[in-house]
Structures are given as C-alpha cells and as structure tokens.
C-alpha cells in the first residue's frame, strides 16, 4: 500500500449548505482515489510557521482529481472557521488521504446487493452522503435507508438533494428526524430518536450493513439501541467525532 503523504490542493468551488456549513470542492492533482466513508486530513500553515490540522469526511464518491468536503463551523474552531468563511477559490491548502478503511462501503449491483442502513447525527451525515451518492452514480440496486437526526430544518445539510433523491431513487428511503424544532406539518414533531422509532425505521434485515456516524453520545445511544433490537453488533460500523470538528 502506498504511503499517504501531504500534498497541496486548491479550492475549485464552494457552496453554502447552511448558515454555518459549506461544501468545498478541492482540486488534488495527485489524488489516489477513495471509497465512500473515508476522510482526509487538512493542514493550514501560517506565515510564522504555526500549523493546525483537522480531519474531514469526504462528502462524495471518487471523482478523480477533485474531492468534496463539507465543513461545519464549530465553536472556537480555527480550522473550520477559516475553511468555511475565509478560504477563497484558488487558495492552497495541504491535504493527506484518503484515511480510514473500516467505515467504508462499496456499491453493489444485482439481486444479491445487501441492504444498507445509514444513521447520521448532525454533520455525521457527511460520509453517509458519500455512500448515498455512490449508490446513485454506480447504479447500485442495494436497498438503502438513511435516517438523519438534525436539530432544525435550517441545519439540514444537502436538503434539496436529499429530498430529490428520496423521492426519485428506487430503493433509497430518507427519514429526517428533528430534535429541537420541526417544520410545519411534521407529524413527528421534535425530539430525539426513540427506540420505538428505530424499531419501526430500522428493523434488521438479513445481510444488512449498518453505518452510524455523529457525536459520540448519538453514536453510542443508537448503536446500543440497535443491538437491543436484535441487530448483530458485528454488522454495525461506527464513526464518532468530538468538538474539534473532525
């Protein structure tokens, strides 16, 4: 396996997702390719030599020499604040990746394609979105259900795309669960996901692969609830992040 080293990338384009989150498309000429679910390290270096780095999930499947990151500003986050607010098209940044080989999914086609369950909390939806997009682009027939827990409608990442894919993609189901405020007409209302809801939304299916990503408390609670509902713990893959914004 080739050694993962730092290389210079340049910002190609940026798109606001929410008031405090942005998707960045980086041009990385020597990018080796990646799998949905992997992440990349980003390093910033100031003129005085001070440097800081953070890890960010890749938001899209492999597209050659371009990668997509969705960065959400975190409180006192020097890297996330710069990338989301000050990083301009054409500016350089150092990247290293892809990183991670456990929390990954490869699209499957044909009748034998195993079902996939995705559960994301907040910005934990980012690597799961790479899987959703990879399924669509590959023509995979794998049944896929994304359960996305988010505070308010204004905080939903990829809102238009998720609504469109959930409506049009055969075999893809998208469930958005709000925890603080729900949009008008949402019969569920706003509260944390309950075990009863998980039992209805996420029953275990033979051969299913499950991916859970988000803040540590969310991931632990959901993974434990799934096991209590009869899911095989060996089929559940988890990715946690803390306040650093990784």
């Amino acid at each position: 396996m080739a050694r993962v080293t730092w290389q210079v990338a340049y910002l190609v384009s940026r798109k606001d997702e929410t008031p405090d989150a942005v998707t960045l498309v980086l041009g990385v000429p020597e990018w080796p390719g990646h799998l949905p679910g992997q992440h990349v390290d980003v390093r910033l270096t100031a003129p005085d030599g001070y440097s800081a780095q953070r890890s960010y999930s890749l938001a899209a499947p492999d597209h050659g020499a371009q990668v997509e990151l969705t960065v959400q500003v975190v409180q006192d986050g020097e890297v996330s604040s710069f990338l989301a607010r000050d990083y301009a098209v054409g500016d350089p940044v150092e990247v290293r990746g892809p990183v991670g080989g456990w929390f990954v999914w490869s699209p499957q086609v044909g009748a034998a394609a195993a079902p996939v369950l995705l559960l994301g909390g907040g910005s934990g939806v980012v690597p799961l979105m790479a899987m959703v997009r990879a399924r669509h682009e590959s023509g995979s027939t794998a049944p896929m259900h994304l359960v996305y827990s988010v505070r308010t409608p204004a905080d939903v990442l990829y809102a238009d795309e998720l609504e469109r894919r959930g409506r049009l993609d055969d075999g893809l189901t998208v469930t958005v669960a709000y925890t603080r405020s729900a949009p008008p007409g949402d019969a569920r209302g706003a509260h944390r996901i309950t075990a009863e809801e998980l039992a209805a939304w996420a029953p275990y299916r033979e051969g299913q692969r499950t991916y859970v990503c988000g803040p540590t408390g969310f991931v632990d609670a959901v993974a434990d609830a799934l096991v209590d509902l009869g899911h095989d713990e060996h089929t559940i893959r988890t990715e946690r992040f803390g306040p650093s914004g990784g």
Side-chain angles (χ1 to χ4, degrees):
M1 180 181 295
R3 181 169 176 264
V4 178
T5 59
W6 290 102
Q7 58 180 302
V8 177
Y10 296 89
L11 183 61
V12 174
S13 65
R14 54 187 297 134
K15 174 189 175 185
D16 291 335
E17 297 285 352
T18 70
D20 63 356
V22 61
T23 290
L24 308 173
V25 178
L26 305 180
V28 192
E30 302 300 323
W31 186 249
H34 64 274
L35 293 173
Q38 290 187 298
H39 62 275
V40 63
D41 296 329
V42 176
R43 182 167 67 186
L44 305 177
T45 303
D48 63 3
Y50 171 76
S51 67
Q53 68 182 64
R54 296 290 185 270
S55 296
Y56 292 99
S57 295
L58 292 153
D62 186 31
H63 291 153
Q66 289 191 346
V67 301
E68 291 187 30
L69 313 178
T70 298
V71 177
Q72 187 165 38
V73 176
V74 296
Q75 186 174 5
D76 301 321
E78 55 186 356
V79 175
S80 65
S81 295
F82 172 81
L83 292 176
R85 295 168 177 162
D86 302 317
Y87 189 36
V89 171
D91 285 353
V93 70
E94 289 182 284
V95 300
R96 180 176 61 186
V99 181
W102 168 251
F103 195 82
V104 297
W105 178 72
S106 297
Q108 297 175 313
V109 296
V116 185
L117 174 62
L118 311 175
L119 299 109
S123 59
V125 76
V126 175
L128 308 183
M129 192 63 184
M131 299 177 189
V132 169
R133 289 167 166 166
R135 176 188 180 277
H136 174 75
E137 292 180 13
S138 69
S140 172
T141 55
M144 179 177 281
H145 188 179
L146 169 64
V147 178
Y148 180 13
S149 174
V150 64
R151 292 178 178 178
T152 73
D155 296 313
V156 177
L157 299 174
Y158 323 115
D160 292 341
E161 183 178 355
L162 283 175
E163 190 279 331
R164 184 177 72 254
R165 293 201 187 282
R167 177 167 43 85
L168 299 178
D169 281 16
D170 182 31
L172 172 67
T173 302
V174 177
T175 300
V176 180
Y178 301 95
T179 61
R180 292 196 178 177
S181 66
D186 188 316
R188 176 182 179 272
H191 57 263
R192 292 184 179 181
I193 295 174
T194 65
E196 291 76 15
E197 287 175 326
L198 280 178
W201 295 337
Y204 179 71
R205 303 173 68 178
E206 188 67 30
Q208 179 172 274
R209 300 297 294 271
T210 300
Y211 298 83
V212 187
C213 184
T216 297
F218 170 86
V219 172
D220 289 346
V222 167
D224 288 346
L226 290 174
V227 172
D228 289 342
L229 291 170
H231 290 244
D232 182 349
E233 62 181 332
H234 299 294
T235 67
I236 303 172
R237 300 193 177 191
T238 59
E239 187 98 315
R240 299 167 174 80
F241 60 78
S244 64

